[in-house]
Amino acid sequence: MKHYLQFNDLDAEEYAHLFERAAHIKRKFKAYEKHHPLVDRTLAMIFEKASTRTRVSFEAGMYQLGGSVVHLTTGDSQLGRAEPIEDSARVISRMVDLVMIRTYEQARIERFAAHSRVPVINGLTNEFHPCQILADIFTFIEHRGPIQGRTVAWVGDGNNMANTWLQAAALLGFKVHVSTPCGYEIDEKWTAGARDVGTESYRFFADPLAACAGADLVTTDVWTSMGYEAENEARKRAFADWCVDAEMMAAARPDALFMHCLPAHRGEEVQADVLDGPQSVVWDEAENRMHAQKALMEYLLLGRDA
């Protein structure tokens, strides 16, 4: 049994399989061909943070695979309230085949997984967002081919997305140029393997324009993630020079893509002419959450026998 709690939980060969399967599953979806390998399987989705793309992509995806879904929030369940996380894990995992959790600290999902009898998927934590980067890399491959040897520019907060990009770069053989404002840097304890001797896969840039130079992909996220709303005004001031604009995209390669995990705030972390421009693939990226996660759920439950 495998869990998917951070990007490092799978290896490069497994990711190659997932990207191939996601493409196959997406082709069948577009051709209106049924693909029901998870008939009679049930996914429990547990939300401690609000969600649009995560809920729709997992719920629609599981139904399209022939399975069913149970939706839980902390408001309508005992999780972490009157019942310890460990006990909730023991009970829920006896009744379903797969669990997806969107929560706050990584430690919460790790505690749940340690006592679960079924695979657990990280739908987002404060520290990591592996399903989003899985979809982002799949989207890059669709548009530009293999990501190995390419350069990704991360402009903005040193958050869960940035942490996961660095894990992915070390594992899959590409580089990340990171530019964050002072005080909002990446916490290197979450980037295990990204700076192993001889395989340095990321560099820091004080200037976001310099980080974008020669990049194959420029990507960002909101300046204020869920749970940090009290810092919103301070963050707006600190991040003012980290808005992805036409100048940054012009510094990247001519065929560079732009990505954003959404929701986006036009005029803050990205200018409207970039988000809605010809280099942006954010809508493909959002749709691909569903296809990539379908491949992931299939793999966690059936291995390569689907």
Side-chain angles (χ1 to χ4, degrees), residues 37-58:
L38 301 186
V39 171
D40 294 330
R41 302 296 185 100
T42 302
L43 166 70
M45 303 192 304
I46 299 171
F47 291 95
E48 295 188 303
K49 283 189 175 184
S51 170
T52 298
R53 277 149 294 276
T54 297
R55 177 173 179 179
V56 175
S57 59
F58 270 105

Side-chain angles (χ1 to χ4, degrees), residues 19-289:
F19 297 137
E20 181 181 338
R21 287 300 296 171
H24 173 74
I25 289 168
K26 185 174 181 178
R27 284 193 297 269
K28 292 178 76 71
F29 174 79
K30 295 296 185 182
Y32 297 95
E33 295 179 14
K34 287 184 179 179
H35 180 64
H36 290 168
L38 301 186
V39 171
D40 294 330
R41 302 296 185 100
T42 302
L43 166 70
M45 303 192 304
I46 299 171
F47 291 95
E48 295 188 303
K49 283 189 175 184
S51 170
T52 298
R53 277 149 294 276
T54 297
R55 177 173 179 179
V56 175
S57 59
F58 270 105
E59 188 161 347
M62 189 61 173
Y63 284 129
Q64 290 166 20
L65 293 174
S68 57
V69 177
V70 175
H71 177 263
L72 297 169
T73 69
T74 50
D76 57 24
S77 71
Q78 298 292 341
L79 183 69
R81 186 161 57 98
E83 184 172 58
I85 291 172
E86 293 80 0
D87 291 355
S88 292
R90 291 183 177 104
V91 172
I92 293 169
S93 66
R94 285 173 176 260
M95 300 178 181
V96 302
D97 303 281
L98 190 63
V99 178
M100 185 282 298
I101 303 177
R102 184 176 173 94
T103 187
Y104 290 90
E105 295 81 10
Q106 183 75 9
R108 291 179 67 78
I109 197 170
E110 290 176 352
R111 286 168 59 195
F112 190 104
H115 295 85
S116 174
R117 295 167 58 150
V118 301
V120 176
I121 297 172
N122 181 351
L124 176 143
T125 61
N126 290 348
E127 292 81 9
F128 297 112
H129 200 356
C131 288
Q132 182 66 58
I133 302 306
L134 176 68
D136 290 1
I137 295 173
F138 174 55
T139 304
F140 185 90
I141 292 169
E142 275 193 323
H143 285 268
R144 295 290 184 265
I147 199 168
Q148 288 80 0
R150 304 297 192 108
T151 299
V152 175
W154 175 263
V155 177
D157 193 14
N159 62 8
N160 51 6
M161 286 285 292
N163 293 340
T164 311
W165 270 116
L166 296 194
Q167 286 194 348
L171 191 61
L172 300 183
F174 59 93
K175 295 187 180 298
V176 181
H177 290 177
V178 178
S179 184
T180 68
C182 182
Y184 298 93
E185 297 88 355
I186 287 170
D187 185 341
E188 294 196 60
K189 73 180 180 182
W190 301 116
T191 63
R195 279 196 163 179
D196 290 344
V197 176
T199 61
E200 184 169 296
S201 56
Y202 69 96
R203 291 177 57 197
F204 289 116
F205 292 80
D207 181 357
L209 187 63
C212 294
D216 299 280
L217 168 63
V218 178
T219 184
T220 190
D221 193 5
V222 296
W223 291 341
T224 306
S225 298
M226 282 181 286
Y228 299 90
E229 288 82 2
E231 304 174 10
N232 190 47
E233 292 307 314
R235 283 174 172 264
K236 283 184 178 181
R237 292 190 294 271
F239 282 78
D241 293 332
W242 275 261
C243 175
V244 178
D245 57 17
E247 186 181 10
M248 291 185 193
M249 294 305 299
R253 290 175 56 88
D255 63 345
L257 301 176
F258 173 77
M259 292 188 192
H260 190 305
C261 58
L262 304 177
H265 302 122
R266 292 167 175 83
E268 289 189 13
E269 73 274 5
V270 59
Q271 291 292 350
D273 60 348
V274 173
L275 185 74
D276 300 314
Q279 292 173 278
S280 175
V281 292
V282 297
W283 315 119
D284 291 342
E285 178 189 3
E287 178 189 339
N288 281 339
R289 283 288 302 276

